[in-house]
Amino acid sequence: MPVRPAFYLRGYSLPCLLRHIERVRYLVKARLKAGKGKALLEAVKNGTLGQGSIAGDEYVYDVKRARMTKDGEAHWVETCFCATPLEEERPYWEEYFDLLRVKDAHNRKNCRHENGTESWACCNCDCTKELEERLEQTGERFLDTLKKNGA
């Protein structure tokens, strides 16, 4: 029989369990601070974006999926475990961005876990899939825009 890590509980791994602690997906709208484009690209390239945060490589994942709108705003969907939205992530993002808006990315009453229709539904949650697909069709990839503009 394989040995399971100590954090394996009732068939759920730690990452899966953590997804249920105040887990919410947020739609983030932000504007890149003047003169921060090159530093952000470098932080993504060398893997230091979010270094020291418990959220780890989530920052690079988010910024790679972010979209730039015509009005210069970056939009992305972010998963956060904090009781206060982006409490952990905010200082890391605010090094490069002015956060304009952070709101729930889906209606919590439709959350299968929160409304009781499916326990632990968040482990395989696709609640923001449609929103993320719509975002992919708007504007341009944020990082591509930065590179193209010689940030």
Side-chain angles (χ1 to χ4, degrees), residues 60-98:
V60 173
Y61 175 82
D62 290 336
V63 81
K64 284 183 175 180
R65 293 184 51 103
R67 304 298 290 190
M68 176 74 85
T69 61
K70 290 180 183 179
D71 61 1
E73 290 182 3
H75 296 189
W76 67 88
V77 173
E78 176 148 353
T79 303
C80 178
F81 302 99
C82 306
T84 301
L86 304 186
E87 183 175 16
E88 166 72 17
E89 298 85 354
R90 188 172 294 273
Y92 295 91
W93 286 128
E94 287 180 338
E95 181 177 342
Y96 304 100
F97 292 96
D98 290 317

Side-chain angles (χ1 to χ4, degrees), residues 42-134:
E42 187 62 29
V44 170
K45 180 181 173 185
N46 64 29
T48 59
L49 179 62
Q51 187 173 25
S53 170
I54 194 168
D57 59 358
E58 185 74 18
Y59 300 91
V60 173
Y61 175 82
D62 290 336
V63 81
K64 284 183 175 180
R65 293 184 51 103
R67 304 298 290 190
M68 176 74 85
T69 61
K70 290 180 183 179
D71 61 1
E73 290 182 3
H75 296 189
W76 67 88
V77 173
E78 176 148 353
T79 303
C80 178
F81 302 99
C82 306
T84 301
L86 304 186
E87 183 175 16
E88 166 72 17
E89 298 85 354
R90 188 172 294 273
Y92 295 91
W93 286 128
E94 287 180 338
E95 181 177 342
Y96 304 100
F97 292 96
D98 290 317
L99 297 178
L100 305 174
R101 188 170 184 192
V102 178
K103 69 175 193 171
D104 281 359
H106 71 296
N107 187 335
R108 291 189 195 197
K109 75 175 184 175
N110 296 330
C111 174
R112 295 185 312 271
H113 177 75
E114 288 197 18
N115 69 22
T117 59
E118 182 183 346
S119 295
W120 304 103
C122 297
C123 286
N124 297 307
C125 183
D126 62 354
C127 66
T128 58
K129 181 181 177 185
E130 289 179 20
L131 172 61
E132 292 176 81
E133 288 172 351
R134 280 195 313 273

Side-chain angles (χ1 to χ4, degrees), residues 24-40:
V24 177
R25 291 187 185 185
Y26 296 101
L27 175 60
V28 178
K29 295 183 181 187
R31 187 172 308 277
L32 186 67
K33 291 181 177 180
K36 289 293 190 172
K38 285 185 181 181
L40 178 59

